Amino acid sequence: MAMRGSGSGGVGVNNSSSSSSSNSSNNSLSQALSRFGFSRSMWLPLGMGVILTVGLLCWPYLQCISHIGYNYIYWVVASGSIKYAAENGSLALPLSHSVMLNGSAIGPPPLLVPRLLHQTWRTALLPEKWLEAQRSCLMQHPSWTYKLWTDDDALRLIQSKYPWFLNTYLSYPFDIQRADALRYFVLYTYGGVYLDLDIVCLKPLDGLRHYSFIAPKTYPTGISNDVLISAPGDRFAHALITGLPTWSHWFAIKYLTVMFSTGPMYVSIQYSLFSKYASVALLPPALYGKYKGGGKRSGLVSSSEAEANPSYFGHLHGSSWHEKDAGLIFWLDKHGLSLLAVVVSGVAVAGLYLAYKRCSRSAGSNGPLLSPRQGIKRDERSSA
């Protein structure tokens, strides 16, 4: 019995020691704050002020992060309700997109997109590797007007028509961000079709001019911005240009910064936020032509292959702005599940090990475990 009393007293001493240690730390904190003129009654407003200040400083990032999370949820939940251009893989317009009169189709809707082809490059002299792709698009659209936008052209456009965006445009750390932004402003201003330089035209695009805005559905989620079709003054194009300043942030590495500030993920997020606009239609993968045979890219093809191919486009290997960080992202995309399994297993093993060590220390501090009979005999000897 005396042993139990001693144990209980020991526990009481430990609690007292812990309490005094806590009080000592609180007193030290109080003394430190009092040196700067802060009393205990000011702790709550001080803490709230710190939280509010941090929140205001981080709000742009918090807003973007929340939209990124919503975007991924959207593409999982709402993927079945996406409106596709030339749906069911047909190059002809579906009946649902015809002009209706008394319930009967009387013809296709009006042409909304002007016959303008837009591309961008630093100067008017294109690299040799892109010339054949450029010629394919010019051959497929002999009656269209072609415009190659240079860096100087881009700067003049922003300065003359969108001076509110000039500071953001010049502040971008990477040229690819300015190239991304330019295509949105060009399409909103003039309308037409924007094509990256690595895009090969396999068929004329007149069948897609009935839609106010088209962007291709891409892998693994979202939409791409290497092919964009828009009517001038389209509402979604307007949302793209006005949203750019909000997303002008640094996202840890170059690849993520470009993707989320101006690139395909930026367009995907804006689509998820503004999908209520009926004017936006997505080009299905079969017509986009980028992912074939398990994701392989298709490039320049023969005329016979083009006739048998429903795709509007072929794709050369571009992505000239990618660096080593892009390779890391692609590796994570390919091996993400395996890496997650390894991390989860490591955390589980570490947790079990720490739990075992804690139990071992607890058993050691309490002494060896005794049976009830051994405990009685020890108590008798202690009382004697």
Side-chain angles (χ1 to χ4, degrees), residues 304-351:
S304 59
E305 290 175 321
E307 291 178 1
N309 184 3
S311 303
Y312 280 102
F313 307 104
H315 300 260
L316 305 178
H317 184 72
S319 304
S320 57
W321 62 274
H322 285 182
E323 294 182 358
K324 293 181 179 179
D325 56 352
L328 173 62
I329 296 296
F330 295 147
W331 184 90
L332 290 174
D333 176 58
K334 183 176 181 180
H335 303 285
L337 291 178
S338 301
L339 181 62
L340 179 62
V342 171
V343 171
V344 170
S345 300
V347 170
V349 171

Short mmCIF file of all heavy atoms in Angstrom, two decimals, residues 304-351:
data_model
loop_
_atom_site.label_atom_id
_atom_site.label_comp_id
_atom_site.label_asym_id
_atom_site.label_seq_id
_atom_site.Cartn_x
_atom_site.Cartn_y
_atom_site.Cartn_z
N SER A 304 -3.05 11.12 -97.96
CA SER A 304 -3.93 9.97 -97.75
C SER A 304 -4.19 9.73 -96.27
O SER A 304 -5.30 9.40 -95.86
CB SER A 304 -3.32 8.72 -98.39
OG SER A 304 -2.05 8.43 -97.82
N GLU A 305 -3.15 9.91 -95.46
CA GLU A 305 -3.32 9.76 -94.02
C GLU A 305 -4.22 10.86 -93.47
O GLU A 305 -5.04 10.62 -92.58
CB GLU A 305 -1.97 9.80 -93.32
CG GLU A 305 -1.10 8.59 -93.56
CD GLU A 305 0.28 8.74 -92.93
OE1 GLU A 305 0.83 9.85 -92.99
OE2 GLU A 305 0.79 7.75 -92.39
N ALA A 306 -4.11 12.05 -94.00
CA ALA A 306 -4.94 13.16 -93.54
C ALA A 306 -6.41 12.91 -93.85
O ALA A 306 -7.29 13.25 -93.06
CB ALA A 306 -4.48 14.46 -94.20
N GLU A 307 -6.69 12.30 -95.02
CA GLU A 307 -8.08 12.02 -95.38
C GLU A 307 -8.69 10.98 -94.44
O GLU A 307 -9.88 11.05 -94.13
CB GLU A 307 -8.14 11.52 -96.82
CG GLU A 307 -7.81 12.61 -97.85
CD GLU A 307 -7.84 12.08 -99.27
OE1 GLU A 307 -8.13 10.88 -99.43
OE2 GLU A 307 -7.56 12.86 -100.20
N ALA A 308 -7.89 10.02 -94.02
CA ALA A 308 -8.41 8.98 -93.12
C ALA A 308 -8.40 9.42 -91.66
O ALA A 308 -8.95 8.73 -90.81
CB ALA A 308 -7.57 7.71 -93.27
N ASN A 309 -7.80 10.56 -91.38
CA ASN A 309 -7.65 11.03 -90.01
C ASN A 309 -8.70 12.09 -89.71
O ASN A 309 -8.80 13.09 -90.43
CB ASN A 309 -6.24 11.62 -89.84
CG ASN A 309 -5.97 12.06 -88.42
OD1 ASN A 309 -6.79 11.89 -87.53
ND2 ASN A 309 -4.80 12.64 -88.20
N PRO A 310 -9.52 11.91 -88.68
CA PRO A 310 -10.55 12.91 -88.38
C PRO A 310 -9.99 14.19 -87.76
O PRO A 310 -10.70 15.18 -87.64
CB PRO A 310 -11.46 12.18 -87.39
CG PRO A 310 -10.57 11.21 -86.69
CD PRO A 310 -9.59 10.76 -87.75
N SER A 311 -8.71 14.18 -87.36
CA SER A 311 -8.14 15.32 -86.66
C SER A 311 -7.96 16.52 -87.59
O SER A 311 -7.68 16.37 -88.77
CB SER A 311 -6.78 14.94 -86.06
OG SER A 311 -6.90 13.83 -85.20
N TYR A 312 -8.11 17.67 -87.01
CA TYR A 312 -7.81 18.91 -87.73
C TYR A 312 -6.32 19.21 -87.71
O TYR A 312 -5.82 19.91 -88.59
CB TYR A 312 -8.54 20.08 -87.07
CG TYR A 312 -10.00 20.21 -87.45
CD1 TYR A 312 -10.99 19.79 -86.57
CD2 TYR A 312 -10.38 20.77 -88.66
CE1 TYR A 312 -12.32 19.91 -86.89
CE2 TYR A 312 -11.72 20.91 -88.99
CZ TYR A 312 -12.69 20.47 -88.11
OH TYR A 312 -14.02 20.59 -88.43
N PHE A 313 -5.61 18.68 -86.70
CA PHE A 313 -4.23 19.12 -86.48
C PHE A 313 -3.28 17.95 -86.31
O PHE A 313 -3.65 16.88 -85.80
CB PHE A 313 -4.15 20.00 -85.22
CG PHE A 313 -5.11 21.14 -85.21
CD1 PHE A 313 -6.26 21.10 -84.43
CD2 PHE A 313 -4.88 22.27 -86.01
CE1 PHE A 313 -7.16 22.15 -84.43
CE2 PHE A 313 -5.77 23.32 -86.01
CZ PHE A 313 -6.92 23.26 -85.22
N GLY A 314 -2.03 18.18 -86.71
CA GLY A 314 -0.91 17.34 -86.31
C GLY A 314 -0.04 18.17 -85.37
O GLY A 314 -0.15 19.40 -85.31
N HIS A 315 0.83 17.51 -84.62
CA HIS A 315 1.60 18.20 -83.60
C HIS A 315 3.07 17.78 -83.66
O HIS A 315 3.39 16.59 -83.55
CB HIS A 315 1.04 17.88 -82.20
CG HIS A 315 -0.39 18.30 -82.03
ND1 HIS A 315 -0.76 19.46 -81.39
CD2 HIS A 315 -1.54 17.71 -82.44
CE1 HIS A 315 -2.08 19.57 -81.39
NE2 HIS A 315 -2.57 18.52 -82.04
N LEU A 316 3.92 18.75 -83.85
CA LEU A 316 5.36 18.52 -83.77
C LEU A 316 5.79 18.68 -82.31
O LEU A 316 5.02 19.12 -81.47
CB LEU A 316 6.11 19.50 -84.66
CG LEU A 316 5.69 19.52 -86.14
CD1 LEU A 316 6.48 20.57 -86.90
CD2 LEU A 316 5.87 18.14 -86.77
N HIS A 317 7.04 18.34 -82.05
CA HIS A 317 7.53 18.45 -80.68
C HIS A 317 8.00 19.88 -80.44
O HIS A 317 9.06 20.29 -80.87
CB HIS A 317 8.67 17.47 -80.41
CG HIS A 317 9.15 17.48 -78.99
ND1 HIS A 317 8.41 16.96 -77.97
CD2 HIS A 317 10.27 17.98 -78.43
CE1 HIS A 317 9.06 17.11 -76.83
NE2 HIS A 317 10.20 17.74 -77.08
N GLY A 318 7.16 20.66 -79.72
CA GLY A 318 7.50 22.04 -79.41
C GLY A 318 7.96 22.16 -77.97
O GLY A 318 8.95 21.57 -77.57
N SER A 319 7.21 22.95 -77.18
CA SER A 319 7.53 23.15 -75.76
C SER A 319 8.96 23.64 -75.58
O SER A 319 9.71 23.16 -74.73
CB SER A 319 7.31 21.86 -74.96
OG SER A 319 5.99 21.40 -75.12
N SER A 320 9.38 24.60 -76.41
CA SER A 320 10.76 25.08 -76.38
C SER A 320 11.10 25.81 -75.09
O SER A 320 12.27 26.01 -74.79
CB SER A 320 11.00 26.00 -77.58
OG SER A 320 10.08 27.09 -77.57
N TRP A 321 10.08 26.22 -74.32
CA TRP A 321 10.35 26.95 -73.09
C TRP A 321 10.57 26.03 -71.89
O TRP A 321 10.94 26.49 -70.82
CB TRP A 321 9.17 27.90 -72.78
CG TRP A 321 7.86 27.19 -72.57
CD1 TRP A 321 6.96 26.80 -73.50
CD2 TRP A 321 7.31 26.78 -71.31
NE1 TRP A 321 5.88 26.19 -72.93
CE2 TRP A 321 6.07 26.16 -71.58
CE3 TRP A 321 7.74 26.89 -69.98
CZ2 TRP A 321 5.25 25.64 -70.58
CZ3 TRP A 321 6.92 26.36 -68.98
CH2 TRP A 321 5.70 25.75 -69.28
N HIS A 322 10.34 24.73 -72.06
CA HIS A 322 10.50 23.79 -70.96
C HIS A 322 11.95 23.71 -70.50
O HIS A 322 12.87 23.74 -71.30
CB HIS A 322 10.03 22.39 -71.36
CG HIS A 322 8.54 22.26 -71.42
ND1 HIS A 322 7.89 21.09 -71.71
CD2 HIS A 322 7.56 23.18 -71.19
CE1 HIS A 322 6.59 21.28 -71.70
NE2 HIS A 322 6.36 22.55 -71.39
N GLU A 323 12.14 23.57 -69.18
CA GLU A 323 13.46 23.37 -68.60
C GLU A 323 13.42 22.12 -67.72
O GLU A 323 12.49 21.32 -67.79
CB GLU A 323 13.87 24.62 -67.80
CG GLU A 323 14.06 25.84 -68.69
CD GLU A 323 14.50 27.06 -67.92
OE1 GLU A 323 14.64 26.98 -66.67
OE2 GLU A 323 14.71 28.11 -68.55
N LYS A 324 14.45 21.93 -66.89
CA LYS A 324 14.55 20.71 -66.09
C LYS A 324 13.37 20.55 -65.14
O LYS A 324 12.97 19.42 -64.82
CB LYS A 324 15.87 20.69 -65.32
CG LYS A 324 17.10 20.56 -66.21
CD LYS A 324 18.37 20.52 -65.39
CE LYS A 324 19.59 20.37 -66.28
NZ LYS A 324 20.85 20.33 -65.51
N ASP A 325 12.81 21.66 -64.65
CA ASP A 325 11.70 21.55 -63.72
C ASP A 325 10.48 20.93 -64.39
O ASP A 325 9.70 20.22 -63.75
CB ASP A 325 11.34 22.91 -63.12
CG ASP A 325 11.04 23.95 -64.19
OD1 ASP A 325 11.24 23.65 -65.38
OD2 ASP A 325 10.60 25.06 -63.82
N ALA A 326 10.32 21.16 -65.70
CA ALA A 326 9.23 20.52 -66.43
C ALA A 326 9.41 19.01 -66.46
O ALA A 326 8.44 18.25 -66.32
CB ALA A 326 9.14 21.07 -67.86
N GLY A 327 10.66 18.55 -66.64
CA GLY A 327 10.94 17.12 -66.61
C GLY A 327 10.56 16.50 -65.28
O GLY A 327 10.04 15.38 -65.21
N LEU A 328 10.81 17.24 -64.19
CA LEU A 328 10.44 16.74 -62.86
C LEU A 328 8.93 16.60 -62.74
O LEU A 328 8.42 15.60 -62.23
CB LEU A 328 10.96 17.70 -61.79
CG LEU A 328 10.51 17.42 -60.35
CD1 LEU A 328 11.01 16.05 -59.90
CD2 LEU A 328 11.00 18.53 -59.42
N ILE A 329 8.19 17.59 -63.26
CA ILE A 329 6.73 17.53 -63.19
C ILE A 329 6.21 16.35 -63.99
O ILE A 329 5.32 15.61 -63.55
CB ILE A 329 6.12 18.84 -63.72
CG1 ILE A 329 6.53 20.02 -62.83
CG2 ILE A 329 4.60 18.74 -63.80
CD1 ILE A 329 6.02 19.95 -61.41
N PHE A 330 6.76 16.12 -65.19
CA PHE A 330 6.31 14.99 -66.00
C PHE A 330 6.65 13.66 -65.32
O PHE A 330 5.87 12.70 -65.42
CB PHE A 330 6.96 15.06 -67.39
CG PHE A 330 6.54 16.26 -68.19
CD1 PHE A 330 7.42 16.87 -69.07
CD2 PHE A 330 5.27 16.79 -68.05
CE1 PHE A 330 7.04 17.97 -69.80
CE2 PHE A 330 4.87 17.90 -68.77
CZ PHE A 330 5.76 18.49 -69.66
N TRP A 331 7.81 13.60 -64.66
CA TRP A 331 8.17 12.37 -63.94
C TRP A 331 7.19 12.11 -62.81
O TRP A 331 6.76 10.97 -62.60
CB TRP A 331 9.59 12.50 -63.41
CG TRP A 331 10.09 11.24 -62.75
CD1 TRP A 331 10.75 10.20 -63.34
CD2 TRP A 331 9.94 10.88 -61.36
NE1 TRP A 331 11.03 9.22 -62.43
CE2 TRP A 331 10.55 9.60 -61.20
CE3 TRP A 331 9.36 11.49 -60.26
CZ2 TRP A 331 10.57 8.94 -59.97
CZ3 TRP A 331 9.39 10.84 -59.04
CH2 TRP A 331 10.00 9.59 -58.90
N LEU A 332 6.82 13.16 -62.09
CA LEU A 332 5.86 13.00 -61.00
C LEU A 332 4.49 12.57 -61.53
O LEU A 332 3.80 11.76 -60.90
CB LEU A 332 5.73 14.32 -60.22
CG LEU A 332 6.94 14.73 -59.39
CD1 LEU A 332 6.72 16.11 -58.79
CD2 LEU A 332 7.22 13.70 -58.29
N ASP A 333 4.12 13.10 -62.70
CA ASP A 333 2.85 12.70 -63.30
C ASP A 333 2.85 11.22 -63.67
O ASP A 333 1.85 10.52 -63.51
CB ASP A 333 2.58 13.56 -64.53
CG ASP A 333 1.32 13.14 -65.27
OD1 ASP A 333 0.24 13.15 -64.63
OD2 ASP A 333 1.40 12.81 -66.46
N LYS A 334 4.00 10.74 -64.13
CA LYS A 334 4.10 9.34 -64.57
C LYS A 334 4.22 8.39 -63.40
O LYS A 334 3.66 7.29 -63.40
CB LYS A 334 5.30 9.18 -65.50
CG LYS A 334 5.45 7.79 -66.08
CD LYS A 334 6.61 7.73 -67.07
CE LYS A 334 6.76 6.35 -67.67
NZ LYS A 334 7.89 6.28 -68.64
N HIS A 335 4.97 8.79 -62.36
CA HIS A 335 5.24 7.89 -61.24
C HIS A 335 4.60 8.37 -59.94
O HIS A 335 5.01 7.95 -58.85
CB HIS A 335 6.76 7.78 -61.03
CG HIS A 335 7.51 7.30 -62.24
ND1 HIS A 335 7.50 5.99 -62.65
CD2 HIS A 335 8.27 7.99 -63.14
CE1 HIS A 335 8.25 5.88 -63.75
NE2 HIS A 335 8.71 7.07 -64.07
N GLY A 336 3.60 9.24 -60.04
CA GLY A 336 3.02 9.85 -58.85
C GLY A 336 2.43 8.83 -57.88
O GLY A 336 2.64 8.91 -56.67
N LEU A 337 1.68 7.85 -58.41
CA LEU A 337 1.03 6.86 -57.53
C LEU A 337 2.06 6.00 -56.82
O LEU A 337 1.92 5.70 -55.62
CB LEU A 337 0.08 5.99 -58.35
CG LEU A 337 -1.18 6.68 -58.88
CD1 LEU A 337 -2.02 5.71 -59.71
CD2 LEU A 337 -2.01 7.24 -57.72
N SER A 338 3.11 5.61 -57.54
CA SER A 338 4.16 4.81 -56.90
C SER A 338 4.86 5.61 -55.82
O SER A 338 5.13 5.10 -54.72
CB SER A 338 5.17 4.35 -57.95
OG SER A 338 4.55 3.58 -58.96
N LEU A 339 5.15 6.87 -56.12
CA LEU A 339 5.81 7.72 -55.12
C LEU A 339 4.92 7.92 -53.91
O LEU A 339 5.38 7.88 -52.76
CB LEU A 339 6.16 9.07 -55.75
CG LEU A 339 6.89 10.06 -54.85
CD1 LEU A 339 8.24 9.50 -54.41
CD2 LEU A 339 7.09 11.40 -55.57
N LEU A 340 3.62 8.11 -54.13
CA LEU A 340 2.67 8.29 -53.02
C LEU A 340 2.63 7.04 -52.15
O LEU A 340 2.60 7.14 -50.92
CB LEU A 340 1.28 8.61 -53.57
CG LEU A 340 0.17 8.79 -52.53
CD1 LEU A 340 0.50 9.97 -51.62
CD2 LEU A 340 -1.18 8.99 -53.21
N ALA A 341 2.65 5.86 -52.78
CA ALA A 341 2.64 4.62 -52.02
C ALA A 341 3.89 4.48 -51.15
O ALA A 341 3.82 4.07 -49.99
CB ALA A 341 2.53 3.42 -52.97
N VAL A 342 5.04 4.87 -51.71
CA VAL A 342 6.29 4.81 -50.94
C VAL A 342 6.24 5.77 -49.75
O VAL A 342 6.62 5.43 -48.64
CB VAL A 342 7.49 5.12 -51.85
CG1 VAL A 342 8.76 5.28 -51.02
CG2 VAL A 342 7.67 4.02 -52.89
N VAL A 343 5.75 6.99 -49.99
CA VAL A 343 5.67 7.98 -48.92
C VAL A 343 4.72 7.53 -47.82
O VAL A 343 5.04 7.62 -46.62
CB VAL A 343 5.23 9.35 -49.49
CG1 VAL A 343 4.93 10.33 -48.36
CG2 VAL A 343 6.30 9.91 -50.40
N VAL A 344 3.55 7.03 -48.20
CA VAL A 344 2.58 6.56 -47.21
C VAL A 344 3.14 5.40 -46.40
O VAL A 344 3.00 5.34 -45.18
CB VAL A 344 1.26 6.16 -47.90
CG1 VAL A 344 0.33 5.46 -46.91
CG2 VAL A 344 0.58 7.39 -48.48
N SER A 345 3.81 4.48 -47.08
CA SER A 345 4.42 3.34 -46.38
C SER A 345 5.50 3.81 -45.42
O SER A 345 5.58 3.34 -44.28
CB SER A 345 5.02 2.36 -47.39
OG SER A 345 4.04 1.87 -48.27
N GLY A 346 6.32 4.78 -45.86
CA GLY A 346 7.36 5.30 -44.99
C GLY A 346 6.79 5.99 -43.77
O GLY A 346 7.29 5.82 -42.65
N VAL A 347 5.74 6.77 -43.96
CA VAL A 347 5.09 7.45 -42.82
C VAL A 347 4.51 6.43 -41.86
O VAL A 347 4.61 6.57 -40.63
CB VAL A 347 4.01 8.41 -43.33
CG1 VAL A 347 3.17 8.94 -42.17
CG2 VAL A 347 4.64 9.57 -44.09
N ALA A 348 3.88 5.37 -42.39
CA ALA A 348 3.29 4.34 -41.54
C ALA A 348 4.37 3.62 -40.72
O ALA A 348 4.21 3.40 -39.51
CB ALA A 348 2.51 3.35 -42.39
N VAL A 349 5.47 3.26 -41.37
CA VAL A 349 6.55 2.59 -40.66
C VAL A 349 7.15 3.51 -39.59
O VAL A 349 7.41 3.08 -38.46
CB VAL A 349 7.64 2.13 -41.66
CG1 VAL A 349 8.89 1.63 -40.91
CG2 VAL A 349 7.10 1.03 -42.56
N ALA A 350 7.37 4.77 -39.93
CA ALA A 350 7.91 5.72 -38.97
C ALA A 350 6.97 5.90 -37.79
O ALA A 350 7.40 5.97 -36.63
CB ALA A 350 8.17 7.06 -39.65
N GLY A 351 5.66 5.94 -38.07
CA GLY A 351 4.68 6.08 -36.99
C GLY A 351 4.69 4.89 -36.06
O GLY A 351 4.63 5.04 -34.83
#
